[in-house]
Amino acid sequence: MKKYLYILMSAMLMTVSIGCSNDDESELNPKDVVYESNPTTLDGIWHMISASYGEGGTETYQAGEITVTFNEAKKTMKVEDKKNIYFLKSGKYSYNTTIEKSRIYTYQWVDVEYQKIVIQYSDKAFGERKVSYTYFFYNGELILDGGVAYDGPGYYFKKLAN
């Protein structure tokens, strides 16, 4: 009888110890995250806070769900996407930035300059690909605009303070 009791106790102990592993993903507490108030460069770590998909609606994201780290010296960006959204899959990408000019009509023709970021990546089905966004800093955020006014995606990021 003691033998069966010992086996039962051992089995219960093993079950409890297996269920209490420390491999759960740690979640960031949004209250502990401090963002830079007026970022002016891409360099650093950015959290995606929302994405606009035109008629597809807008999605919001918690701190750390989608992180992009830009390294301006190497012209690389590292994406960590725990949500598997449309933006970019987790991985490391190269990018270039350019300044482009155009004319817009607002009761008169106006010359405007805007910054573009061109991200290069490989796609199994299509080989080397490039995706281009107009980017700007506004109200403490980095905005990657893929043509939101014309039903394209728009991604909104906040930069972690050092």
Side-chain angles (χ1 to χ4, degrees):
M1 185 68 168
K2 284 185 179 181
K3 183 178 180 181
Y4 293 114
L5 187 58
Y6 176 73
I7 292 172
L8 180 64
M9 293 297 282
S10 295
M12 287 175 53
L13 184 60
M14 283 188 348
T15 303
V16 169
S17 66
I18 289 169
C20 294
S21 68
N22 193 15
D23 61 355
D24 295 338
E25 242 178 68
S26 62
E27 296 294 322
L28 288 175
N29 183 346
K31 293 178 184 177
D32 295 336
V33 178
V34 178
Y35 294 112
E36 199 172 297
S37 61
N38 190 26
T40 56
T41 66
L42 290 173
D43 215 26
I45 301 171
W46 297 81
H47 286 167
M48 184 181 290
I49 56 169
S50 66
S52 173
Y53 299 106
E55 295 205 19
T58 300
E59 293 287 329
T60 58
Y61 301 99
Q62 296 296 314
E65 287 183 324
I66 301 162
T67 303
V68 177
T69 304
F70 286 97
N71 182 325
E72 287 189 304
K74 294 181 180 181
K75 294 293 185 197
T76 59
M77 60 187 282
K78 180 180 176 187
V79 176
E80 295 177 48
D81 179 1
K82 297 175 184 170
K83 298 295 281 185
N84 293 318
I85 68 160
Y86 176 72
F87 177 57
L88 286 171
K89 294 180 181 179
S90 293
K92 196 170 186 179
Y93 302 90
S94 60
Y95 72 90
N96 290 310
T97 56
T98 62
I99 295 178
E100 297 189 9
K101 296 179 181 184
S102 66
R103 293 188 107 191
I104 60 172
Y105 187 76
T106 58
Y107 301 108
Q108 64 181 5
W109 286 101
V110 178
D111 292 327
V112 294
E113 285 188 354
Y114 53 93
Q115 299 178 97
K116 290 282 250 189
I117 183 169
V118 178
I119 303 165
Q120 300 164 321
Y121 65 99
S122 292
D123 184 300
K124 290 180 183 178
F126 299 104
E128 285 296 312
R129 308 273 294 170
K130 292 181 181 180
V131 63
S132 176
Y133 299 98
T134 300
Y135 77 94
F136 53 96
F137 303 99
Y138 177 75
N139 204 21
E141 297 177 4
L142 164 65
I143 301 169
L144 298 182
D145 182 349
V148 177
Y150 301 103
D151 211 18
Y155 303 104
Y156 302 83
F157 299 84
K158 286 197 173 189
K159 186 177 187 178
L160 289 176
N162 291 335

